[in-house]
């Protein structure tokens, strides 16, 4: 009998910072965690952590230290809906479009300095709206700057007769999705206003997150992951809780497929799966995931049903190994929120108010249910790294909202993460000793042992279903026989 090891990373937005001091100490003591766990599971922000720590082409995508650097240095970009960022994203998009157009038509454009002239005008406008000094722009200056920006963005068109032929101007409009540059800027401003509070549109533009995720995963697909990785999402079109499992995508010998499906149906680009897993309702829009079979569907945050993925990871491991081994599940949490909602406060809430808090409440309830379940699982040891978000004496105040990503709060979360590590130091020391003394057992050997011991081992899902149907039929048959054996009662 061996031990199957599972690492599970919770969802929680910027609060993912909390578990990283513990993960870093463990990794520094034993080496890459992918070499010490048979399965790695993650949801939402935990999906990013789990993916980063998994092996691709023989080595982890990221170290735990690098993941912490991302949270500390880029977390503010992901959770940023300021007007400054909105303009920055708009300008970058427009400049990229004009640059691509200039490259494609460079031989036809009469004035080859066009792109530089537009860029210079736009940059001048940006300086007016957003000064390099960290001073607050008052409303009068901002309104004046908007007019200047409109003129700058229309620069190419006010001089189009001298620069473009009519045909080239039409092509330019097509290259910019049929919009004038000024209308694009106006749309960006409108979009920013509509995002306030997440009431009418998702609170954040997903572009910074997508850029970050793409930098981490590149063009790797789930099938490129060597580790047994589990990532969660929820398909809102099919109304289905989804688990993206790397061993299915790469067609491992122990993979089981639903009837009629192939490895391509379970495979997709990692960047798309991560965008789906982190698409928390009201914070980010649903993300379209296209699998390698060409099917596309919209997905939202896996935290809606599996914010703590420990239970589903254990179930996946049991489906492969049965119950002939022990299981060690190490769960890396992102803090337990304790903010109370009184009856007086909530008794008049409607859809709007409940919608603003529903994601948080769903997550907390699911995590509490899984924690209780995992403590009573047979032949499974459950080690959880978790902390409550109560104020600690001497520590800076921590805002526990999942998008509270100001520099001060990120630092406060890191300090709380160090406290969390101290609270679990004995547990951490035990794990370091255990993993250094007991190398990870060979996956294939453990699987062979399970098959040998389990006389009823059934690798195909259909066989199990057929068996259950036969059992149900026999029970029905016995019930009918028992009923006919009873003497008839005549009035």
């Amino acid at each position: 009998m061996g031990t199957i090891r599972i690492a599970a990373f919770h969802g929680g937005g910027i609060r993912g910072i909390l578990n990283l001091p513990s993960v870093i100490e463990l990794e520094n003591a034993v080496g890459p965690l992918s070499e010490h766990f048979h399965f790695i599971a993650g949801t939402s922000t935990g999906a990013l952590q789990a993916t980063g720590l998994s092996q691709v082409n023989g080595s982890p995508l990221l170290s735990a230290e690098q993941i912490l650097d991302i949270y500390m240095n880029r977390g503010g970009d992901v959770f940023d809906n300021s007007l400054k960022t909105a303009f920055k994203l708009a300008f970058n998009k427009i400049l990229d479009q004009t640059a691509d157009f200039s490259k494609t038509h460079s031989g036809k454009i009469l004035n080859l300095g066009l792109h530089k002239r537009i860029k210079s005008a736009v940059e001048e406008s940006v300086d007016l709206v957003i000064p390099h000094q960290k001073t607050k722009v008052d409303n009068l200056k901002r309104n004046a700057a908007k007019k200047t920006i409109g003129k700058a963005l229309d620069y190419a068109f006010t001089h189009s007769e001298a620069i473009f032929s009519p045909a080239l101007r039409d092509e330019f409009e097509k290259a910019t999705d049929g919009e004038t540059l000024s209308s694009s800027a106006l749309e960006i401003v409108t979009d920013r206003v509509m995002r306030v509070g997440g009431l009418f549109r998702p609170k954040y533009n997903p572009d910074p997150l997508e850029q970050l995720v793409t930098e981490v995963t590149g063009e790797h697909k789930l099938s490129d992951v060597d580790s047994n990785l589990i990532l969660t999402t929820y398909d809102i079109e099919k109304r289905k809780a989804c688990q993206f499992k790397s061993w299915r995508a790469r067609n491992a010998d122990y993979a089981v497929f639903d009837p009629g499906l192939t490895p391509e149906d379970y495979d997709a680009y990692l960047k798309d799966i991560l965008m789906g897993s982190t698409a928390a309702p009201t914070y980010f829009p649903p993300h379209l995931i296209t699998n390698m079979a060409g099917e596309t569907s919209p997905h939202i945050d896996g935290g809606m049903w599996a914010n703590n993925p420990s239970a589903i990871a254990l179930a996946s491991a049991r489906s492969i190994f049965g119950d002939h081994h022990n299981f060690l599940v190490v769960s890396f949490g992102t803090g337990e929120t304790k903010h109370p909602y009184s009856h007086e406060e909530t008794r008049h809430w409607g859809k709007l108010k409940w919608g603003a808090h529903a994601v948080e409440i769903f997550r907390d309830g699911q995590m509490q249910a899984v924690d209780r379940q995992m403590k009573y699982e047979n032949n499974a040891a459950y080690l959880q790294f978790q902390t409550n978000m109560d104020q600690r004496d001497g520590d800076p105040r921590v805002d526990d909202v999942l998008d509270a990503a100001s520099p001060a709060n990120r630092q406060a979360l890191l300090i709380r993460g160090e406290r969390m590590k101290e609270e679990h130091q004995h547990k951490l020391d035990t794990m370091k000793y255990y993993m250094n003394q007991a190398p990870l057992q060979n996956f294939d050997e453990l699987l062979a042992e399970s098959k040998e011991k389990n006389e009823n081992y059934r690798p195909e899902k259909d066989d199990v279903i057929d068996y259950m149907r036969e059992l149900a039929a026999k029970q029905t048959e016995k019930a009918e026989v028992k009923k006919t054996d009873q003497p008839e009662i005549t009035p």
Side-chain angles (χ1 to χ4, degrees), residues 27 31-38 40 53-55 58-60 227 440:
E27 185 180 75
L33 297 195
S34 56
E35 297 177 3
H36 293 274
F37 289 94
H38 296 101
I40 302 177
L53 296 171
S54 294
Q55 289 197 9
S59 61
S227 305
L440 191 69

Side-chain angles (χ1 to χ4, degrees), residues 325 441-450:
H325 294 294
Q441 292 174 277
N442 183 272
F443 190 98
D444 293 333
E445 292 178 2
L446 291 170
L447 183 58
E449 185 180 346
S450 291

Side-chain angles (χ1 to χ4, degrees), residues 392-418:
R392 304 293 199 276
D393 292 339
D395 286 354
R397 179 185 174 277
V398 176
D399 188 341
D400 60 10
V401 180
L402 64 84
D403 63 336
S406 68
N409 202 55
R410 276 177 277 161
Q411 189 61 39
L413 285 167
L414 182 58
I415 293 172
R416 178 58 59 84
E418 292 290 343

Side-chain angles (χ1 to χ4, degrees), residues 223-236:
S223 56
D224 296 328
V225 179
D226 305 321
S227 305
N228 289 315
L229 176 65
I230 308 170
L231 303 175
T232 67
T233 67
Y234 185 83
D235 186 330
I236 58 175

Side-chain angles (χ1 to χ4, degrees), residues 277-297:
S277 187
T278 55
T282 74
Y283 292 93
F284 294 104
H287 187 80
L288 290 173
I289 299 178
T290 301
N291 63 25
M292 293 301 109
E295 182 183 10
T296 301
S297 56

